[in-house]
Amino acid sequence: MSQVRVLGELAVLDDVGPARRGRAYPAAGATSALLLPAAVLLGGLVLWPVLRTMHASVTTDGRWVGAAHFRTALAAPGTGAVVGRTVLWALLVPAVVTALGYLLAAASRRSQEGGLVRLILLVPVALPLVVTGVTFRLMYDPDPSRGLATLIATRLTGRPVEDAPQLLGPGMVTVALMSAFVWAWVGLAVLVFRSALDAVPPSLADAVRAYGGGRRHVLWDAQWRPLLLRTTAVVFALVAVGTSRTFDLILVMTPGSVRDEASVLALRIWQTSGGTTTGDGAALGVVWLVAVIGGIMVAALFVRQAWPPPRVEAAPDPAPVAPPRRVFRLLAAGAAIAWLVPLAVLVATSAHGRVDAAARGWWSAAPNGESYRNLVTGTELWRTLGFTLLLATAVTATVLVVALLAAYPLAWLTGPAAQATGLLLLAASVVPIQVIAGPVNEVLGLVLSSGTAQGLALVHIALGVPFAVLVLRNAFADLPVEQVRDARLGGRRWWHTLRRLARHNRSAVVAVSVLEFVQVWNDLVVGRLFGGPGASPLGPFLAEQTRSFVSNSGALAASSVLASVLPVVLVVLSRRHLVAGLVSGGVR
């Protein structure tokens, strides 16, 4: 290790060990300054609220009560069912999404129609969950004259119209909600598995066959053991974390009369405490927080790897691989058609006016475009879209700057320090906002007034920084040593070095930017908890229209279509960057 002066600044060059560890570290003073914005945001709006919630769960007015709040909260009527339903969501839905994702990735691989199939499966990933809830509530409408799925189920079961199956009734509502969530998330799993399958060298399968291995041995020894087992854990963990945010689907898709039969911890905590801090609500929040963070930590340890990761040399062009069998290609095509049906229902309903959409199914009358004309000539939707666009843009830009500043010094950590930092960032990125809503409102009350656009943006920034830092830190650490040293020696100051490093990591920067923008654009829960009359983004605006769902279904469907255009375009255009960011950024 040597220390040299480069353009008046001290640079520490680590030349000990393999070339992957050669790094140019920022000076100590610059490191503190670079980490300060992220530390303040995470400390004030994530760490302190978590500690405050934990304190509220064991105290009453500052007096220690131990586990009393936990006993009261868990003994409340229906809490056991809520907890069990939450566990079912966290286990069953990720398993279904992971299995379908792998099957469809393998079935659509190296075929002429595979690219189109994956594109169709990807579109629901970009939709706000509010829009997904609207779409499936239209399909599962209890009246067979309006609900396509209800009409098909009625015909298949041979029941009379007045005895039509109630897909959103007490017995089926959870299954209906899960089907909507699977539809929304399978495309992400397909992309991640497709990336993993493309990274498996064909020579591994040839080697297994050369030693007498059959198809089963090729699948296990040449695909699952080297890469797909870890990819499965990553996909399962991502979807399991996603299921903790089913608040949007349940609030929008379930009728009020059956909401208790569909409730999970995300909804129960909001119903118990809302945006305040209460003992029982805090106790439920701590239970949920421990489960979420514990689960993601187990998954992270399962897929852990050495840090920095070994450099992967450029592989020669792979040998041609035979396309999947005809039956699997038919499976992929069938899935694409099935995934198009909800989108077609949403678009077709949006093309009808208020009366037609409320009185009959979209297939029973000719489209007239009345809902779109009313929206285009009105001002409310455009005002909401404009505010959401400004909010998402400002939050994305701020998160990107703060994350780049913090990722630069953190990328040069090695060994246990790097692993511990990654786990802390991962834990901070999965903290459910309902758990810490009360303490966050207290912090906002000290620095800003609650319900303002500035407070709403600040909460989004604090929630987006941990994952953005994680992705960019890993991307910086993956850079070849030659690029890092070139950036350090070619920059006059640290910000010049950082700019050069960011240019080398354009894919990671794009991934962080798109993910954050879409997250803010599609949000419901943060806007509902921290928004106000002058700060009402798109998610709460759409959710409010579902109060009169049947009579307002035409305008609601049209609003949902217009609200989905921008995130769908962004995700489709940047899908390769998103996969690279998720695979590298979330598992180390």
Side-chain angles (χ1 to χ4, degrees):
M1 181 179 295
S2 59
Q3 297 182 358
V4 297
R5 287 280 177 180
V6 179
L7 299 177
E9 293 187 6
L10 184 66
V12 181
L13 303 180
D14 183 359
D15 296 319
V16 180
R20 276 297 297 166
R21 292 195 55 217
R23 287 291 181 255
Y25 298 86
T31 295
S32 300
L34 293 172
L35 292 174
L36 183 61
V40 170
L41 283 168
L42 295 182
L45 289 172
V46 178
L47 178 59
W48 186 86
V50 167
L51 296 177
R52 173 73 177 89
T53 299
M54 296 176 67
H55 178 263
S57 69
V58 293
T59 60
T60 300
D61 297 327
R63 178 174 52 86
W64 175 267
V65 296
H69 291 312
F70 290 90
R71 288 192 294 267
T72 302
L74 294 176
T79 300
V82 167
V83 173
R85 206 174 291 118
T86 304
V87 173
L88 183 66
W89 269 92
L91 296 178
L92 179 60
V93 174
V96 173
V97 170
T98 302
L100 276 177
Y102 172 73
L103 288 175
L104 294 176
S108 62
R109 189 181 179 216
R110 304 187 186 281
S111 60
Q112 294 180 350
E113 69 281 2
L116 180 60
V117 170
R118 291 189 296 273
L119 185 62
I120 292 172
L121 296 176
L122 179 64
V123 170
V125 175
L127 298 181
L129 273 180
V130 174
V131 173
T132 300
V134 170
T135 302
F136 276 79
R137 188 164 175 180
L138 289 170
M139 285 188 59
Y140 294 154
D141 191 295
D143 188 343
S145 65
R146 292 192 304 265
L148 178 62
T150 306
L151 175 63
I152 294 174
T154 302
R155 298 282 177 83
L156 291 177
T157 57
R159 296 185 181 184
V161 173
E162 58 272 11
D163 190 30
Q166 298 299 297
L167 303 177
L168 291 179
M172 292 291 294
V173 64
T174 296
V175 176
L177 287 165
M178 289 180 174
S179 68
F181 191 91
V182 169
W183 179 80
W185 277 74
V186 160
L188 178 64
V190 169
L191 285 184
V192 175
F193 274 115
R194 167 65 194 276
S195 177
L197 285 169
D198 289 346
V200 175
S203 57
L204 286 179
D206 295 338
V208 173
R209 294 190 187 97
Y211 280 92
R215 183 174 300 165
R216 180 174 59 86
H217 299 94
V218 170
L219 177 65
W220 177 249
D221 293 322
Q223 291 187 356
W224 281 98
R225 287 180 62 186
L227 189 58
L228 292 184
L229 193 60
R230 176 175 292 173
T231 304
T232 299
V234 172
V235 173
F236 191 97
L238 286 172
V239 180
V241 171
T243 61
S244 68
R245 300 174 181 176
T246 53
F247 176 88
D248 304 28
L249 266 184
I250 296 175
L251 196 65
V252 172
M253 191 173 159
T254 57
S257 58
V258 298
R259 192 160 292 163
D260 288 342
E261 284 76 10
S263 181
V264 294
L265 282 174
L267 186 64
R268 176 59 68 93
I269 293 172
W270 174 72
Q271 292 173 329
T272 303
S273 56
T276 62
T277 305
T278 64
D280 294 352
L284 280 178
V286 170
V287 171
W288 189 23
L289 182 65
V290 170
V292 170
I293 293 181
I296 199 66
M297 289 297 177
V298 170
L301 292 174
F302 180 76
V303 299
R304 67 187 184 276
Q305 62 185 51
W307 185 265
R311 185 174 182 179
V312 178
E313 301 295 338
D317 293 337
V321 178
R325 293 182 175 183
R326 182 178 179 84
V327 63
F328 291 110
R329 296 174 65 180
L330 291 175
L331 170 65
I337 295 173
W339 254 246
L340 278 175
V341 170
L343 295 174
V345 169
L346 179 67
V347 174
T349 304
S350 71
H352 290 78
R354 184 185 186 94
V355 175
D356 284 345
R360 61 183 69 89
W362 52 267
W363 59 87
S364 302
N368 53 31
E370 177 188 336
S371 296
Y372 284 106
R373 286 195 296 271
N374 293 337
L375 288 174
V376 170
T377 57
T379 60
E380 191 175 8
L381 176 63
W382 297 116
R383 185 169 57 249
T384 302
L385 288 173
F387 173 78
T388 308
L389 178 62
L390 290 175
L391 176 68
T393 302
V395 169
T396 300
T398 307
V399 167
L400 184 60
V401 171
V402 173
L404 282 170
L405 295 178
Y408 177 40
L410 293 179
W412 319 134
L413 294 176
T414 59
Q419 298 285 0
T421 301
L423 291 177
L424 288 175
L425 289 171
L426 192 58
S429 67
V430 299
V431 172
I433 186 59
Q434 293 97 318
V435 174
I436 59 174
V440 168
N441 268 322
E442 295 174 8
V443 174
L444 293 179
L446 296 176
V447 296
L448 296 165
S449 58
S450 184
T452 63
Q454 295 87 346
L456 185 61
L458 194 61
V459 175
H460 274 300
I461 292 168
L463 295 177
V465 162
F467 188 73
V469 173
L470 192 65
V471 172
L472 293 172
R473 179 202 74 150
N474 294 340
F476 285 169
D478 279 348
L479 282 176
V481 60
E482 296 81 8
Q483 290 184 357
V484 175
R485 286 177 173 167
D486 176 69
R488 185 66 180 91
L489 296 176
R492 293 179 57 84
R493 294 291 186 269
W494 62 262
W495 52 87
H496 298 130
T497 304
L498 180 56
R499 187 172 64 249
R500 288 169 174 261
L501 291 173
R503 191 181 304 125
H504 290 312
N505 278 296
R506 189 176 291 109
S507 294
V509 171
V510 171
V512 166
S513 301
V514 172
L515 286 170
E516 186 59 33
F517 185 95
V518 172
Q519 172 67 27
V520 178
W521 182 276
N522 292 350
D523 168 72
L524 169 63
V525 62
V526 175
R528 197 172 186 108
L529 288 172
F530 304 100
S536 180
L538 190 58
F541 171 80
L542 294 176
E544 189 66 24
Q545 295 188 49
T546 62
R547 291 180 179 273
S548 303
F549 191 90
V550 173
S551 62
N552 203 32
S553 56
L556 181 57
S559 300
S560 299
V561 170
L562 294 177
S564 303
V565 172
L566 182 56
V568 167
V569 170
L570 288 176
V571 169
V572 168
L573 292 180
S574 61
R575 57 190 181 276
R576 292 183 177 85
H577 299 297
L578 293 182
V579 172
L582 286 172
V583 172
S584 66
V587 301
R588 295 180 191 149

